[in-house]
Amino acid sequence: MTAIDYGDRARVGLMVPSGNQVCEAEIHAMLPAGVAALIIRLELRGSSEGELLHMIASLEGAARLLADARPRLIGFHCTAVSTFAPAMAGGIVQRIEDATGLPGTATADAILGALAALHARRVLLVTPYIAAVHDREIAFLAAHGITVTGGAMMGLNTNAEMADLPPERIAAQARAAAVAAPGADACFISCTAIRSAGLIAPLEAELGIPVFTSNQVMAWHM
């Protein structure tokens, strides 16, 4: 029988989009032994502004349900929502902490933390998003002093579509972005719902710059 990891060193709570098929597998693979992620879903069925903002409508109730399992912290894990506006992540984290008394964090915090750790100020941004979401993420990074020098978006609307995106297509977009806009400090492959973890090491070797993803930085940041 395979050993069961109950998270006896630490458990962390995660709020994820309802349609996300990918992030649990990647997060669990990246967490160290003895650390477990406990997951709850918040409704998100598309990428329109209204759908994204609706995801946080029931934030407090979901946070309190996670808190019942006594995690060390609670993370809100959706890149598109947490980077919706410069102050969005801060408001989300405050609501989590007020509702539960536990430390909170959000994907946007993890992204900024990774960029600071890498001393990266110029990045390539590769996303599966529709234009409005991609552009808001560029604006979010700019508001925090990060310049997007190049990148690509893929025009996908739902998490289900994003889960079906072949990793090689994501890698091809990153390669093309690096060729079109040389000189970036790092490449950020954004979105919790795409199969990107396996691309990190080979793309770093190929591009010669750090490559990081939404699920990777959240596992690291937590």
Side-chain angles (χ1 to χ4, degrees):
M1 179 178 175
T2 302
I4 299 173
D5 192 338
Y6 291 102
D8 289 335
R9 286 178 58 198
R11 287 173 291 278
V12 294
L14 270 185
M15 301 171 162
V16 307
S18 56
N20 196 313
Q21 304 171 22
V22 169
C23 67
E24 284 131 309
E26 293 200 347
I27 291 284
H28 282 127
M30 293 176 179
L31 290 176
V35 180
L38 310 175
I39 310 295
I40 196 166
R41 284 176 146 68
L42 296 172
E43 183 180 342
L44 182 64
R45 295 195 168 93
S47 297
S48 71
E49 181 173 328
E51 286 168 314
L52 292 171
L53 294 177
H54 179 70
M55 185 179 171
I56 57 175
S58 56
L59 188 72
E60 284 83 359
R64 285 190 285 267
L65 290 174
L66 274 176
D68 287 345
R70 300 184 179 180
R72 294 280 189 90
L73 61 83
I74 294 176
F76 178 86
H77 193 37
C78 175
T79 314
V81 174
S82 65
T83 64
F84 189 94
M88 180 70 81
I92 289 170
V93 169
Q94 190 63 58
R95 288 172 61 185
I96 291 170
E97 293 180 344
D98 289 347
T100 66
L102 295 170
T105 192
T107 319
D109 299 326
I111 294 164
L112 295 176
L115 288 165
L118 294 169
H119 305 289
R121 310 300 293 178
R122 295 165 51 82
V123 301
L124 303 173
L125 178 65
V126 177
T127 81
Y129 303 138
I130 60 174
V133 178
H134 186 86
D135 291 345
R136 277 196 294 268
E137 191 161 334
I138 292 173
F140 168 83
L141 291 170
H144 292 279
I146 307 299
T147 301
V148 173
T149 60
M153 62 177 181
M154 301 174 204
L156 302 181
N157 181 55
T158 69
N159 277 193
E161 293 172 298
M162 294 169 190
D164 287 338
L165 187 64
E168 180 50 40
R169 184 178 166 199
I170 303 168
Q173 295 279 12
R175 292 187 196 101
V179 170
D185 301 321
C187 176
F188 175 33
I189 300 176
S190 175
C191 186
T192 68
I194 58 174
R195 299 184 182 204
S196 55
L199 301 175
I200 297 167
L203 278 177
E204 284 188 333
E206 185 176 341
L207 303 182
I209 56 175
V211 174
F212 63 102
T213 74
S214 292
N215 288 330
Q216 177 200 32
V217 297
M218 193 59 156
W220 164 78
H221 186 66
M222 288 190 301

